[in-house]
Coordinates of all heavy atoms in Angstrom, one line a residue:
M1111 N 167.1 236.4 81.1 CA 165.7 236.4 81.6 C 165.4 235.0 82.3 O 165.7 234.0 81.8 CB 164.7 236.5 80.4 CG 163.4 237.2 80.8 SD 162.4 237.6 79.4 CE 161.5 236.2 79.2
T1112 N 164.9 235.1 83.5 CA 164.6 233.8 84.2 C 163.3 233.2 83.8 O 162.4 233.9 83.3 CB 164.6 234.1 85.7 OG1 163.7 235.1 86.0 CG2 166.0 234.4 86.3
E1113 N 163.2 231.9 83.9 CA 162.0 231.2 83.5 C 160.9 231.4 84.6 O 161.2 231.5 85.8 CB 162.3 229.7 83.5 CG 162.9 229.1 82.3 CD 163.1 227.6 82.5 OE1 163.3 227.1 83.6 OE2 163.1 226.9 81.4
T1114 N 159.7 231.4 84.1 CA 158.5 231.4 85.1 C 158.4 229.9 85.5 O 158.9 229.0 84.9 CB 157.2 231.8 84.4 OG1 156.9 230.8 83.4 CG2 157.3 233.2 83.8
P1115 N 157.7 229.7 86.7 CA 157.5 228.3 87.1 C 156.8 227.5 86.1 O 157.1 226.3 85.9 CB 156.7 228.4 88.4 CG 156.9 229.8 88.9 CD 157.2 230.7 87.6
E1116 N 155.9 228.1 85.3 CA 155.2 227.4 84.3 C 156.1 226.9 83.2 O 156.0 225.8 82.6 CB 154.0 228.3 83.7 CG 152.9 228.5 84.6 CD 153.2 229.5 85.7 OE1 154.2 230.3 85.6 OE2 152.4 229.5 86.7
Q1117 N 157.0 227.8 82.8 CA 158.0 227.5 81.7 C 159.0 226.4 82.2 O 159.3 225.5 81.5 CB 158.8 228.7 81.4 CG 158.0 229.7 80.6 CD 158.8 231.1 80.4 OE1 159.5 231.5 81.3 NE2 158.6 231.7 79.3
T1118 N 159.3 226.4 83.5 CA 160.2 225.4 84.1 C 159.5 224.0 84.0 O 160.1 223.0 83.6 CB 160.6 225.7 85.5 OG1 161.2 227.0 85.5 CG2 161.5 224.7 86.1
L1119 N 158.2 224.0 84.4 CA 157.4 222.8 84.4 C 157.3 222.2 82.9 O 157.6 221.0 82.7 CB 156.0 223.1 84.9 CG 155.1 221.9 85.0 CD1 155.7 220.8 86.0 CD2 153.7 222.3 85.5
L1120 N 157.1 223.1 82.0 CA 157.0 222.7 80.6 C 158.3 222.1 80.1 O 158.4 221.1 79.4 CB 156.6 223.8 79.7 CG 155.1 224.2 79.7 CD1 154.8 225.4 78.8 CD2 154.2 223.0 79.2
R1121 N 159.4 222.8 80.4 CA 160.8 222.3 80.0 C 161.1 221.0 80.6 O 161.5 220.1 79.9 CB 161.8 223.4 80.4 CG 163.2 223.0 80.1 CD 164.2 224.1 80.3 NE 164.2 224.7 81.7 CZ 164.7 224.1 82.7 NH1 165.3 222.9 82.6 NH2 164.7 224.6 83.9
L1122 N 160.8 220.8 81.9 CA 161.1 219.5 82.6 C 160.2 218.4 82.0 O 160.6 217.3 81.8 CB 160.9 219.7 84.1 CG 161.9 220.6 84.8 CD1 161.5 220.8 86.3 CD2 163.3 220.0 84.7
R1123 N 158.9 218.8 81.7 CA 158.0 217.7 81.1 C 158.5 217.3 79.7 O 158.3 216.2 79.4 CB 156.6 218.3 81.1 CG 156.0 218.2 82.5 CD 154.6 218.7 82.5 NE 153.9 218.5 83.8 CZ 152.7 218.9 84.1 NH1 152.0 219.6 83.2 NH2 152.2 218.7 85.3
A1124 N 159.1 218.3 79.0 CA 159.6 217.9 77.7 C 160.7 216.9 77.8 O 160.8 215.9 77.1 CB 160.0 219.1 76.9
T1125 N 161.5 217.1 78.8 CA 162.6 216.2 79.1 C 162.1 214.8 79.5 O 162.5 213.7 79.0 CB 163.6 216.7 80.2 OG1 164.1 217.9 79.7 CG2 164.7 215.7 80.5
I1126 N 161.1 214.8 80.4 CA 160.5 213.6 80.8 C 159.9 212.8 79.6 O 160.0 211.6 79.5 CB 159.4 213.9 81.9 CG1 160.1 214.3 83.2 CG2 158.5 212.6 82.1 CD1 159.1 214.9 84.2
D1127 N 159.2 213.5 78.7 CA 158.6 212.9 77.5 C 159.6 212.3 76.6 O 159.5 211.2 76.1 CB 157.8 213.9 76.7 CG 156.5 214.3 77.5 OD1 156.1 213.5 78.4 OD2 155.8 215.3 77.1
N1128 N 160.8 213.0 76.5 CA 161.9 212.4 75.7 C 162.4 211.1 76.3 O 162.7 210.1 75.6 CB 163.0 213.4 75.5 CG 162.7 214.5 74.5 OD1 161.8 214.3 73.7 ND2 163.5 215.5 74.5
I1129 N 162.6 211.2 77.6 CA 163.1 210.0 78.3 C 162.1 208.8 78.2 O 162.5 207.7 78.0 CB 163.4 210.3 79.8 CG1 164.6 211.3 79.9 CG2 163.7 209.0 80.6 CD1 164.8 211.9 81.2
D1130 N 160.8 209.1 78.4 CA 159.8 208.0 78.3 C 159.8 207.4 76.9 O 159.7 206.2 76.8 CB 158.4 208.6 78.6 CG 158.2 208.8 80.1 OD1 159.1 208.4 80.9 OD2 157.2 209.5 80.4
A1131 N 160.0 208.3 75.9 CA 160.1 207.7 74.5 C 161.3 206.8 74.3 O 161.2 205.7 73.8 CB 160.1 208.9 73.5
A1132 N 162.4 207.3 74.9 CA 163.7 206.5 74.8 C 163.5 205.1 75.5 O 163.9 204.1 75.0 CB 164.8 207.2 75.4
L1133 N 162.8 205.1 76.6 CA 162.6 203.9 77.4 C 161.8 202.9 76.6 O 162.0 201.7 76.6 CB 161.9 204.2 78.7 CG 162.8 204.8 79.8 CD1 162.0 205.2 81.0 CD2 164.0 203.9 80.2
I1134 N 160.7 203.4 75.9 CA 159.9 202.6 75.1 C 160.7 201.9 74.0 O 160.6 200.7 73.7 CB 158.7 203.4 74.5 CG1 157.7 203.8 75.6 CG2 158.0 202.6 73.4 CD1 157.0 202.7 76.3
F1135 N 161.5 202.7 73.3 CA 162.4 202.1 72.2 C 163.4 201.1 72.8 O 163.6 200.0 72.2 CB 163.1 203.2 71.4 CG 162.2 204.0 70.5 CD1 161.8 205.3 70.7 CD2 161.6 203.4 69.4 CE1 161.0 206.0 69.9 CE2 160.8 204.0 68.5 CZ 160.4 205.4 68.8
V1136 N 164.0 201.4 73.9 CA 164.9 200.5 74.5 C 164.2 199.2 74.9 O 164.8 198.1 74.7 CB 165.7 201.2 75.7 CG1 166.4 200.2 76.5 CG2 166.6 202.3 75.2
L1137 N 163.1 199.3 75.5 CA 162.3 198.1 75.9 C 161.9 197.3 74.7 O 162.0 196.1 74.7 CB 161.0 198.5 76.7 CG 161.1 198.5 78.2 CD1 159.7 198.9 78.7 CD2 161.5 197.2 78.7
A1138 N 161.5 198.0 73.6 CA 161.1 197.2 72.4 C 162.3 196.4 71.9 O 162.2 195.3 71.5 CB 160.6 198.2 71.4
E1139 N 163.5 197.0 71.9 CA 164.7 196.3 71.5 C 165.0 195.2 72.4 O 165.4 194.1 71.9 CB 165.9 197.3 71.5 CG 166.0 198.2 70.3 CD 165.8 197.5 68.9 OE1 166.6 196.6 68.6 OE2 164.9 197.8 68.2
R1140 N 164.8 195.3 73.7 CA 165.1 194.2 74.6 C 164.1 193.1 74.3 O 164.6 191.9 74.3 CB 164.9 194.7 76.1 CG 165.4 193.7 77.1 CD 165.1 194.2 78.5 NE 166.0 193.4 79.5 CZ 165.8 192.2 79.9 NH1 164.7 191.5 79.4 NH2 166.6 191.6 80.7
F1141 N 162.9 193.4 74.1 CA 161.9 192.3 73.8 C 162.1 191.7 72.5 O 161.9 190.5 72.3 CB 160.5 192.8 74.0 CG 159.9 192.8 75.4 CD1 160.0 193.9 76.2 CD2 159.4 191.6 75.9 CE1 159.6 193.8 77.5 CE2 159.0 191.5 77.2 CZ 159.1 192.7 78.0
R1142 N 162.7 192.5 71.5 CA 163.0 191.9 70.2 C 164.1 190.8 70.4 O 164.1 189.7 69.8 CB 163.6 192.9 69.3 CG 163.2 192.7 67.8 CD 163.8 193.7 66.9 NE 163.5 195.1 67.2 CZ 162.5 195.7 66.8 NH1 161.5 195.1 66.1 NH2 162.3 197.0 67.1
A1143 N 165.1 191.1 71.3 CA 166.2 190.1 71.6 C 165.6 188.9 72.4 O 166.0 187.8 72.1 CB 167.3 190.8 72.3
T1144 N 164.8 189.2 73.4 CA 164.3 188.1 74.2 C 163.4 187.2 73.4 O 163.3 186.0 73.7 CB 163.7 188.5 75.5 OG1 162.6 189.5 75.3 CG2 164.6 189.2 76.5
K1145 N 162.7 187.7 72.4 CA 161.8 186.9 71.6 C 162.7 185.9 70.9 O 162.3 184.7 70.8 CB 161.1 187.8 70.6 CG 160.1 187.1 69.7 CD 159.2 188.1 69.0 CE 158.0 187.3 68.4 NZ 158.0 187.3 67.0
Q1146 N 163.8 186.3 70.4 CA 164.7 185.4 69.7 C 165.3 184.3 70.7 O 165.4 183.1 70.3 CB 165.9 186.1 69.0 CG 165.4 187.0 67.9 CD 166.5 187.8 67.3 OE1 167.5 187.3 66.9 NE2 166.4 189.2 67.4
V1147 N 165.5 184.7 71.9 CA 166.0 183.7 72.9 C 164.8 182.7 73.2 O 165.1 181.5 73.2 CB 166.4 184.4 74.2 CG1 166.6 183.4 75.3 CG2 167.6 185.3 74.1
G1148 N 163.6 183.2 73.2 CA 162.4 182.3 73.5 C 162.3 181.3 72.3 O 162.0 180.1 72.6
E1149 N 162.5 181.8 71.1 CA 162.4 180.8 70.0 C 163.5 179.8 70.0 O 163.3 178.6 69.7 CB 162.4 181.6 68.6 CG 161.0 182.2 68.4 CD 161.0 183.5 67.5 OE1 162.0 183.7 66.8 OE2 160.0 184.1 67.4
L1150 N 164.7 180.3 70.3 CA 165.9 179.4 70.4 C 165.6 178.3 71.5 O 165.8 177.1 71.3 CB 167.1 180.2 70.8 CG 168.4 179.4 70.8 CD1 169.0 179.2 69.4 CD2 169.4 180.2 71.6
K1151 N 165.1 178.7 72.6 CA 164.8 177.8 73.7 C 163.7 176.8 73.3 O 163.8 175.6 73.6 CB 164.4 178.6 75.0 CG 165.5 179.3 75.7 CD 165.0 180.0 76.9 CE 166.2 180.6 77.7 NZ 165.7 181.3 78.9
A1152 N 162.6 177.3 72.7 CA 161.5 176.5 72.3 C 162.0 175.4 71.3 O 161.7 174.2 71.4 CB 160.4 177.3 71.8
D1153 N 162.8 175.9 70.4 CA 163.4 174.9 69.3 C 164.2 173.8 69.9 O 164.3 172.7 69.3 CB 164.3 175.7 68.3 CG 163.4 176.6 67.4 OD1 162.2 176.3 67.3 OD2 164.0 177.5 66.7
H1154 N 164.9 174.1 71.0 CA 165.8 173.1 71.6 C 165.4 172.6 72.9 O 166.3 172.0 73.6 CB 167.2 173.8 71.6 CG 167.7 174.2 70.3 ND1 168.3 173.3 69.4 CD2 167.7 175.4 69.6 CE1 168.6 173.9 68.3 NE2 168.3 175.2 68.4
G1155 N 164.2 172.8 73.3 CA 163.6 172.2 74.5 C 164.3 172.7 75.8 O 164.5 172.0 76.8
M1156 N 164.8 174.0 75.7 CA 165.5 174.5 76.9 C 164.4 175.2 77.8 O 163.4 175.7 77.3 CB 166.5 175.6 76.5 CG 167.6 175.0 75.6 SD 168.4 176.2 74.5 CE 169.7 176.8 75.5
P1157 N 164.7 175.2 79.1 CA 163.7 175.8 80.0 C 163.4 177.3 79.8 O 164.4 178.0 79.4 CB 164.3 175.6 81.4 CG 165.7 175.1 81.2 CD 165.8 174.7 79.8
A1158 N 162.2 177.7 80.0 CA 161.8 179.1 79.7 C 162.6 180.1 80.6 O 163.0 181.2 80.2 CB 160.3 179.3 79.9
S1159 N 162.8 179.7 81.9 CA 163.5 180.6 82.8 C 164.9 180.1 83.2 O 165.1 178.9 83.1 CB 162.6 180.9 84.0 OG 162.6 179.8 84.8
D1160 N 165.7 181.0 83.6 CA 167.1 180.6 84.1 C 167.4 181.4 85.3 O 167.9 182.5 85.3 CB 168.1 180.9 83.0 CG 169.5 180.5 83.3 OD1 169.8 180.3 84.5 OD2 170.3 180.4 82.4
P1161 N 166.9 180.8 86.5 CA 167.1 181.6 87.8 C 168.5 182.0 88.1 O 168.7 183.1 88.7 CB 166.5 180.6 88.8 CG 165.6 179.7 88.0 CD 166.2 179.6 86.7
S1162 N 169.5 181.2 87.8 CA 170.9 181.6 88.1 C 171.4 182.8 87.3 O 172.0 183.7 87.8 CB 171.9 180.4 88.0 OG 172.1 180.1 86.7
R1163 N 171.0 182.8 86.0 CA 171.3 184.0 85.2 C 170.5 185.2 85.8 O 171.1 186.3 85.9 CB 170.8 183.7 83.8 CG 170.6 184.9 82.9 CD 171.8 185.4 82.2 NE 171.5 186.5 81.2 CZ 172.2 187.5 81.0 NH1 173.4 187.7 81.6 NH2 171.8 188.4 80.2
E1164 N 169.3 185.0 86.2 CA 168.5 186.2 86.7 C 169.2 186.7 88.0 O 169.2 187.9 88.3 CB 167.1 185.8 87.0 CG 166.3 185.6 85.8 CD 164.9 185.0 86.0 OE1 164.4 185.2 87.1 OE2 164.4 184.3 85.1
E1165 N 169.7 185.8 88.8 CA 170.4 186.2 90.1 C 171.6 187.1 89.8 O 171.8 188.1 90.4 CB 170.8 184.9 90.8 CG 170.8 185.0 92.3 CD 171.1 183.6 92.9 OE1 170.3 182.7 92.8 OE2 172.2 183.5 93.4
Q1166 N 172.3 186.7 88.8 CA 173.5 187.5 88.4 C 173.1 188.9 87.8 O 173.7 189.9 88.1 CB 174.3 186.8 87.3 CG 175.0 185.5 87.7 CD 175.5 184.7 86.6 OE1 175.5 185.1 85.4 NE2 176.0 183.5 86.8
Q1167 N 172.0 188.9 87.0 CA 171.5 190.1 86.5 C 171.0 191.1 87.6 O 171.3 192.3 87.6 CB 170.4 189.9 85.5 CG 170.8 189.3 84.2 CD 169.7 188.7 83.4 OE1 169.1 187.7 83.7 NE2 169.3 189.4 82.3
V1168 N 170.3 190.5 88.6 CA 169.8 191.3 89.7 C 171.0 191.9 90.4 O 171.0 193.1 90.8 CB 168.9 190.5 90.6 CG1 168.7 191.3 91.9 CG2 167.5 190.2 89.9
A1169 N 172.0 191.1 90.7 CA 173.2 191.6 91.5 C 173.8 192.7 90.7 O 174.2 193.8 91.3 CB 174.1 190.5 91.8
R1170 N 174.0 192.6 89.4 CA 174.6 193.6 88.6 C 173.8 194.9 88.5 O 174.3 196.0 88.7 CB 174.9 193.0 87.2 CG 175.4 194.0 86.2 CD 175.7 193.3 84.9 NE 176.1 194.3 83.9 CZ 175.3 194.8 83.0 NH1 174.0 194.5 83.0 NH2 175.7 195.7 82.1
L1171 N 172.5 194.7 88.3 CA 171.6 195.9 88.2 C 171.5 196.6 89.5 O 171.5 197.9 89.5 CB 170.2 195.4 87.7 CG 170.2 195.0 86.2 CD1 168.8 194.5 85.9 CD2 170.6 196.1 85.3
R1172 N 171.6 195.9 90.6 CA 171.5 196.6 91.9 C 172.8 197.4 92.1 O 172.7 198.5 92.6 CB 171.4 195.6 93.1 CG 170.0 195.0 93.2 CD 169.8 194.1 94.4 NE 169.8 194.9 95.6 CZ 168.8 195.3 96.3 NH1 167.6 194.9 96.0 NH2 168.9 196.0 97.4
R1173 N 173.9 196.9 91.7 CA 175.2 197.6 91.8 C 175.2 198.8 90.9 O 175.5 200.0 91.3 CB 176.4 196.7 91.3 CG 177.0 195.8 92.4 CD 178.4 195.4 92.0 NE 178.5 194.8 90.6 CZ 178.1 193.5 90.3 NH1 177.8 192.7 91.3 NH2 178.3 193.0 89.1
L1174 N 174.7 198.7 89.7 CA 174.6 199.8 88.8 C 173.6 200.9 89.3 O 173.9 202.1 89.2 CB 174.1 199.4 87.4 CG 175.1 198.5 86.6 CD1 174.4 198.0 85.3 CD2 176.3 199.4 86.2
A1175 N 172.5 200.4 89.9 CA 171.5 201.4 90.4 C 172.2 202.2 91.5 O 172.0 203.4 91.6 CB 170.3 200.6 91.0
E1176 N 172.9 201.5 92.4 CA 173.6 202.3 93.5 C 174.5 203.3 92.9 O 174.5 204.5 93.4 CB 174.4 201.3 94.4 CG 173.5 200.8 95.5 CD 174.1 199.5 96.2 OE1 175.3 199.4 96.3 OE2 173.3 198.7 96.7
Q1177 N 175.3 202.9 91.9 CA 176.2 203.9 91.3 C 175.5 205.1 90.7 O 175.9 206.2 90.6 CB 177.1 203.2 90.2 CG 178.1 202.3 90.7 CD 178.6 201.4 89.6 OE1 178.5 201.7 88.4 NE2 179.2 200.3 90.0
A1178 N 174.3 204.8 90.2 CA 173.5 205.8 89.5 C 172.6 206.6 90.4 O 171.8 207.5 90.0 CB 172.7 205.2 88.4
D1179 N 172.6 206.3 91.7 CA 171.8 206.9 92.7 C 170.3 206.7 92.5 O 169.4 207.5 92.6 CB 172.0 208.5 92.7 CG 171.6 209.1 94.1 OD1 171.5 208.4 95.1 OD2 171.4 210.3 94.1
L1180 N 170.0 205.4 92.0 CA 168.7 204.9 91.9 C 168.4 203.9 92.9 O 169.4 203.1 93.2 CB 168.5 204.3 90.4 CG 167.2 203.7 90.1 CD1 166.2 204.9 89.8 CD2 167.3 202.9 88.8
D1181 N 167.2 203.8 93.5 CA 166.9 202.9 94.5 C 167.1 201.4 94.0 O 166.4 201.0 93.0 CB 165.5 203.1 95.0 CG 165.0 202.1 96.0 OD1 165.8 201.3 96.5 OD2 163.9 202.2 96.4
P1182 N 168.1 200.6 94.5 CA 168.3 199.3 94.0 C 167.1 198.4 94.1 O 166.9 197.5 93.3 CB 169.5 198.7 94.9 CG 169.9 199.9 95.7 CD 169.0 201.0 95.7
A1183 N 166.3 198.6 95.2 CA 165.0 197.8 95.3 C 164.1 198.1 94.2 O 163.4 197.2 93.6 CB 164.4 198.1 96.6
F1184 N 164.1 199.3 93.7 CA 163.2 199.7 92.6 C 163.8 199.0 91.3 O 163.0 198.5 90.5 CB 163.1 201.2 92.4 CG 162.4 201.6 91.1 CD1 161.0 201.5 91.0 CD2 163.2 202.0 90.0 CE1 160.4 201.8 89.8 CE2 162.5 202.2 88.8 CZ 161.1 202.1 88.7
A1185 N 165.1 199.1 91.1 CA 165.7 198.5 90.0 C 165.4 197.0 89.9 O 165.1 196.4 88.8 CB 167.2 198.7 90.0
E1186 N 165.5 196.3 91.0 CA 165.2 194.9 91.1 C 163.7 194.6 90.8 O 163.4 193.7 90.1 CB 165.5 194.3 92.5 CG 165.3 192.8 92.6 CD 165.9 192.2 93.8 OE1 166.6 192.9 94.6 OE2 165.6 191.0 94.1
K1187 N 162.8 195.5 91.3 CA 161.4 195.3 91.1 C 161.1 195.5 89.6 O 160.3 194.7 89.0 CB 160.6 196.4 91.8 CG 159.7 195.8 92.9 CD 158.7 196.9 93.4 CE 159.3 197.7 94.5 NZ 158.4 198.8 95.0
W1188 N 161.7 196.5 89.0 CA 161.5 196.7 87.5 C 162.0 195.5 86.7 O 161.3 195.0 85.8 CB 162.3 198.0 87.1 CG 162.4 198.1 85.6 CD1 161.5 198.6 84.8 CD2 163.5 197.6 84.7 NE1 161.9 198.5 83.5 CE2 163.1 197.9 83.4 CE3 164.7 197.0 85.0 CZ2 163.9 197.5 82.3 CZ3 165.5 196.6 83.9 CH2 165.1 196.9 82.6
F1189 N 163.2 195.0 87.1 CA 163.7 193.8 86.4 C 162.8 192.6 86.5 O 162.5 192.0 85.5 CB 165.1 193.5 86.9 CG 165.8 192.3 86.3 CD1 166.3 192.3 85.0 CD2 165.8 191.1 87.0 CE1 166.9 191.2 84.4 CE2 166.3 190.0 86.4 CZ 166.9 190.0 85.1
N1190 N 162.4 192.3 87.7 CA 161.5 191.2 87.9 C 160.2 191.3 87.1 O 159.6 190.3 86.6 CB 161.2 191.0 89.4 CG 162.4 190.5 90.2 OD1 163.3 189.8 89.6 ND2 162.5 190.7 91.5
F1191 N 159.7 192.5 87.0 CA 158.4 192.8 86.3 C 158.7 192.5 84.8 O 157.8 191.8 84.2 CB 158.1 194.3 86.5 CG 156.8 194.7 85.8 CD1 155.6 194.3 86.1 CD2 156.9 195.6 84.7 CE1 154.4 194.7 85.5 CE2 155.8 196.0 84.1 CZ 154.5 195.6 84.4
V1192 N 159.8 192.9 84.3 CA 160.1 192.7 82.8 C 160.3 191.2 82.6 O 159.8 190.6 81.6 CB 161.3 193.6 82.4 CG1 161.8 193.2 81.0 CG2 160.9 195.1 82.4
V1193 N 161.1 190.6 83.5 CA 161.4 189.2 83.3 C 160.2 188.3 83.3 O 160.1 187.3 82.6 CB 162.5 188.7 84.3 CG1 162.7 187.2 84.2 CG2 163.9 189.4 83.9
A1194 N 159.3 188.6 84.2 CA 158.0 187.9 84.3 C 157.3 187.9 83.0 O 156.8 186.8 82.5 CB 157.1 188.4 85.4
E1195 N 157.3 189.0 82.3 CA 156.7 189.1 81.0 C 157.4 188.3 79.9 O 156.9 187.6 79.1 CB 156.6 190.6 80.6 CG 155.9 190.9 79.3 CD 154.4 190.6 79.3 OE1 153.8 190.2 80.3 OE2 153.8 190.7 78.2
V1196 N 158.8 188.4 80.0 CA 159.6 187.6 79.1 C 159.3 186.1 79.2 O 159.1 185.4 78.2 CB 161.1 187.9 79.3 CG1 162.0 187.0 78.5 CG2 161.4 189.4 79.0
I1197 N 159.3 185.7 80.5 CA 159.1 184.2 80.7 C 157.7 183.8 80.2 O 157.5 182.7 79.7 CB 159.3 183.9 82.2 CG1 160.8 184.0 82.5 CG2 158.8 182.5 82.5 CD1 161.2 184.0 83.9
R1198 N 156.7 184.7 80.4 CA 155.4 184.4 79.9 C 155.4 184.2 78.3 O 154.9 183.3 77.8 CB 154.4 185.6 80.2 CG 153.0 185.2 80.2 CD 152.1 186.4 80.7 NE 152.2 187.6 79.8 CZ 151.7 187.7 78.6 NH1 150.9 186.8 78.2 NH2 151.8 188.8 77.9
H1199 N 156.2 185.1 77.7 CA 156.3 184.9 76.2 C 157.1 183.6 75.9 O 156.7 182.9 74.9 CB 157.2 186.1 75.6 CG 156.5 187.4 75.7 ND1 157.0 188.6 75.2 CD2 155.2 187.8 76.2 CE1 156.2 189.6 75.4 NE2 155.1 189.1 76.0
H1200 N 158.1 183.3 76.6 CA 158.9 182.1 76.3 C 158.0 180.8 76.5 O 158.1 179.9 75.7 CB 160.1 182.0 77.3 CG 161.2 182.9 76.9 ND1 162.4 182.9 77.5 CD2 161.3 183.9 76.0 CE1 163.2 183.9 77.0 NE2 162.5 184.5 76.1
T1201 N 157.2 180.8 77.6 CA 156.3 179.7 77.8 C 155.3 179.6 76.7 O 155.0 178.5 76.2 CB 155.6 179.9 79.2 OG1 156.7 180.1 80.2 CG2 154.8 178.7 79.6
A1202 N 154.8 180.7 76.3 CA 153.8 180.7 75.2 C 154.4 180.1 73.9 O 153.9 179.4 73.1 CB 153.2 182.1 74.9
A1203 N 155.7 180.6 73.6 CA 156.4 180.1 72.4 C 156.6 178.6 72.5 O 156.4 177.9 71.5 CB 157.7 180.8 72.3
A1204 N 157.0 178.1 73.7 CA 157.2 176.6 73.8 C 155.9 175.9 73.7 O 155.8 174.8 73.0 CB 157.8 176.3 75.2
D1205 N 154.8 176.4 74.2 CA 153.5 175.8 74.2 C 153.0 175.7 72.7 O 152.2 174.8 72.4 CB 152.5 176.5 75.1 CG 152.8 176.3 76.5 OD1 153.6 175.4 76.9 OD2 152.2 177.0 77.4
A1206 N 153.4 176.7 71.9 CA 152.9 176.7 70.5 C 153.6 175.7 69.6 O 153.3 175.5 68.5 CB 153.1 178.2 70.0
R1207 N 154.7 175.1 70.1 CA 155.5 174.2 69.3 C 154.8 172.8 69.2 O 154.1 172.4 70.1 CB 156.9 173.9 69.9 CG 157.9 175.1 69.8 CD 158.1 175.3 68.3 NE 159.3 176.2 68.1 CZ 159.2 177.6 68.1 NH1 158.1 178.2 68.4 NH2 160.3 178.3 67.9
Ligands
ISJ2133 C1 166.3 185.9 78.1 C2 166.4 184.8 78.8 O1 165.4 184.2 79.4 C3 164.8 184.5 80.7 C4 164.7 186.0 80.7 C5 165.7 186.8 81.2 C6 165.8 188.3 80.9 O2 164.7 188.8 80.4 O3 166.8 188.9 81.1 C7 166.8 186.2 81.9 C8 166.8 184.9 82.2 C9 165.7 184.0 81.8 O4 165.0 183.6 82.9 C10 167.7 184.2 79.0 O5 167.8 183.0 79.4 O6 168.8 184.8 78.7

């Protein structure tokens, strides 16, 4: 029996909801790790940001995005958005010392 368009939409949306949930958990794990990096940096007077590391990460993520058929410019934008928030946290951790 073939699906109706409404059933197809519901099925696809269930997949989207699962993926969104997975992204939230993955992001939470990433921030759990970067929080520890922020505390380490604050404890040892290290700078909040590391532009050369970020450059390497962007190059790697752009390559991965191309392989995955994802727009590399979008991957870079997403990374920069996340890193800006991480650096905000690191700066706040250093200021709190
Ligand atoms: C997490 C770090 O701090 C900053 C945040 C990064 C990130 O979120 O990937 C990368 C480099 C740094 O600007 C780090 O230095 O590794």
Side-chain angles (χ1 to χ4, degrees):
M1111 210 172 88
T1112 55
E1113 277 180 332
T1114 65
E1116 290 75 16
Q1117 287 169 328
T1118 304
L1119 183 61
L1120 282 178
R1121 180 172 53 76
L1122 293 174
R1123 283 181 174 173
T1125 299
I1126 290 166
D1127 286 345
N1128 283 347
I1129 292 169
D1130 286 347
L1133 288 174
I1134 291 297
F1135 284 112
V1136 169
L1137 261 182
E1139 283 307 305
R1140 191 183 200 283
F1141 274 94
R1142 215 187 301 278
T1144 56
K1145 184 166 190 249
Q1146 293 175 59
V1147 171
E1149 281 158 12
L1150 184 77
K1151 287 180 172 179
D1153 284 344
H1154 298 281
M1156 297 155 93
S1159 72
D1160 184 341
S1162 70
R1163 159 87 173 143
E1164 289 172 30
E1165 215 174 285
Q1166 290 166 8
Q1167 287 167 286
V1168 166
R1170 173 172 175 266
L1171 290 174
R1172 288 187 67 103
R1173 274 198 309 276
L1174 289 173
E1176 272 165 29
Q1177 288 166 20
D1179 202 22
L1180 180 72
D1181 180 359
F1184 172 76
E1186 183 168 351
K1187 245 192 277 180
W1188 168 82
F1189 178 77
N1190 288 335
F1191 180 69
V1192 170
V1193 170
E1195 182 68 4
V1196 170
I1197 289 168
R1198 201 176 63 75
H1199 292 182
H1200 287 186
T1201 305
D1205 289 349
R1207 288 297 193 275

